[in-house]
Amino acid sequence: MSEGHGAASGARLRLARRARGFSQQQMASMAGVSRQAVSAVESGISDPSLRVAMALARALGLTVEDLFGPDNPVMPVTAAPVAPLGSKGARVTLAPMGDGYVALPLRGATVSRAGFHPAGGLVTGTDRDRGPISRNVQPIGLPRPTLIAAGCDPALPLLEAPLGLLDPPVAFSWWPCPSREALRLAAGGLVHVAGTHLRGLDSEYNITPAADLLREGGEVIGFCAWQEGLVLRPELADRISGIQDVAGSGLRLVNREPGAEARSLLDRELADAGIEAGQLPGYDTHADGHLQMATAIAAGLADAGIASEPAALAYDLAFIPLAAERFDLVIPAGQVSSREVQGLLKVLSSAWLLDQLASLPGYDPSRCGERIATLPPRH
């Protein structure tokens, strides 16, 4: 085996190991070899014997040719899209989900955290090739265990750091969307966990709406709580006390997207005040998230909107509380035993995460990690 080939094979072994979430020690134990042997092969210092090569390949569920043969590109996989993926060559996040894969588009709110996200793959065809059910994606490297979460709470990305410290580590990807959309994705097997703050018919948050959508049942786990209410430009605080004043003053609104609990709260406030939605300039606009709502108001694009208190405080905006909200994590029964969700359950009680949530003005993490309810399957 040439020096260059040995380095390439070592890199392929390292990618395959990390994609499955194994440490070098775990890989060595499963293959019945020493950790030093795994390290030497991965670094290209030595070539594996046939026995070691077969043991490593068997532990990873690969053939010796796959792992140590001639350099071949990673083959495309079929992935279920969490949302429309766009045109050929579009960058996506690619993650294992059960026996298959899911893909999340990297665009709009998901493309950046003040910089580009690393992509897991590239779309290889157009929407017409496979349709909305599945798309072909060319992986960039081997997909690794990744917790896929959907929901509107901008604190969800705080999960990434503690998940990455697990042994083996779990990556994290977040699809920001309204609560009902998050539950729909969870029910469709497209995400491991749905973050929701939805009021049920009995005024109990999340349990009834989740039970209605998850036919297989699941678990409801606490994450945090906050106040939701009217967010205003600071100079309006002294003359606005509620939605009636917003309508009476002709202020411009920025609304949340349909299906968002914030939009439902606004509609309830308007109905209680006897105000027609069409009377409010900007009612038909929408911002895709709490922070996006606050950004629009802080930028002067709107005067008021409904969002969480933490979002208002983050932008030094005025805030009038209207409702106490509980944001829970809903886990479908079929995902509870997965490595990704088991990792999530471990980190929810970590001191680091609780301290981070508590450091955010307006957040209450006192029920983080608490089992709120078990949802029975519906027959």
Side-chain angles (χ1 to χ4, degrees), residues 27-379:
M27 178 81 261
S29 297
M30 290 186 297
V33 301
S34 69
R35 188 197 64 78
Q36 290 79 5
V38 175
S39 178
V41 175
E42 287 191 355
S43 63
I45 293 174
S46 69
D47 294 334
S49 67
L50 179 58
R51 182 190 69 81
V52 170
M54 291 179 64
L56 292 172
R58 188 181 306 111
L60 292 169
L62 300 170
T63 66
V64 173
E65 290 75 16
D66 288 336
L67 201 53
F68 298 110
D71 295 343
N72 292 314
V74 179
M75 296 302 293
V77 300
T78 299
V82 170
L85 300 183
S87 60
K88 181 177 180 179
R91 301 171 74 244
V92 299
T93 295
L94 184 65
M97 179 72 67
D99 295 330
Y101 296 90
V102 296
L104 291 76
L106 284 174
R107 67 171 183 272
T110 64
V111 76
S112 134
R113 292 180 203 152
F116 290 115
H117 283 269
L122 301 174
V123 177
T124 63
T126 67
D127 287 326
R128 295 188 300 274
D129 295 335
R130 303 285 299 197
I133 303 303
S134 62
R135 296 289 299 278
N136 285 342
V137 175
Q138 174 66 55
I140 300 176
L142 295 173
R144 55 184 296 202
T146 302
L147 179 77
I148 305 294
C152 67
D153 186 359
L156 284 172
L158 291 173
L159 293 167
E160 182 172 8
L163 285 169
L165 294 175
L166 294 174
D167 187 10
V170 174
F172 176 80
S173 192
W174 171 44
W175 180 249
C177 65
S179 295
R180 291 194 184 279
E181 174 68 5
L183 284 175
R184 185 190 69 79
L185 293 171
L190 296 173
V191 301
H192 295 99
V193 57
T196 70
H197 63 115
L198 289 172
R199 182 181 300 189
L201 295 177
D202 55 1
S203 295
E204 174 66 74
Y205 273 89
N206 302 317
I207 297 175
T208 301
D212 288 342
L213 286 173
L214 298 185
R215 298 188 63 85
E216 64 176 312
E219 300 289 337
V220 181
I221 308 295
F223 188 64
C224 61
W226 64 66
Q227 295 282 334
E228 191 148 51
L230 191 59
V231 180
L232 302 161
R233 290 190 288 112
E235 62 270 24
L236 298 174
D238 292 338
R239 62 187 181 94
I240 301 297
S241 61
I243 198 66
Q244 302 96 323
D245 294 334
V246 172
S249 301
L251 298 179
R252 182 168 181 80
L253 189 78
V254 59
N255 207 350
R256 284 289 305 280
E257 65 271 53
E261 181 63 19
R263 190 183 184 102
S264 297
L265 176 57
L266 173 63
D267 290 342
R268 292 195 297 270
E269 290 291 313
L270 292 174
D272 290 345
I275 299 172
E276 291 290 334
Q279 295 179 235
L280 288 177
Y283 178 87
D284 292 330
T285 64
H286 73 261
D288 295 330
H290 296 277
L291 292 181
Q292 288 80 359
M293 169 81 70
T295 300
I297 296 171
L301 302 177
D303 302 306
I306 301 293
S308 68
E309 183 182 18
L313 294 174
Y315 284 82
D316 296 322
L317 299 172
F319 180 77
I320 299 173
L322 297 175
E325 303 274 323
R326 194 183 78 217
F327 187 88
D328 295 326
L329 305 178
V330 179
I331 304 169
Q335 300 292 349
V336 172
S337 61
S338 68
R339 176 188 301 173
E340 294 85 356
V341 168
Q342 288 300 305
L344 168 67
L345 297 177
K346 288 180 183 177
V347 306
L348 285 176
S349 59
S350 70
W352 184 91
L353 178 62
L354 295 175
D355 288 346
Q356 287 291 324
L357 289 171
S359 76
L360 292 168
Y363 273 86
D364 173 10
S366 59
R367 301 188 74 177
C368 186
E370 178 182 337
R371 192 176 300 274
I372 303 296
T374 297
L375 307 176
R378 293 165 51 203
H379 300 294

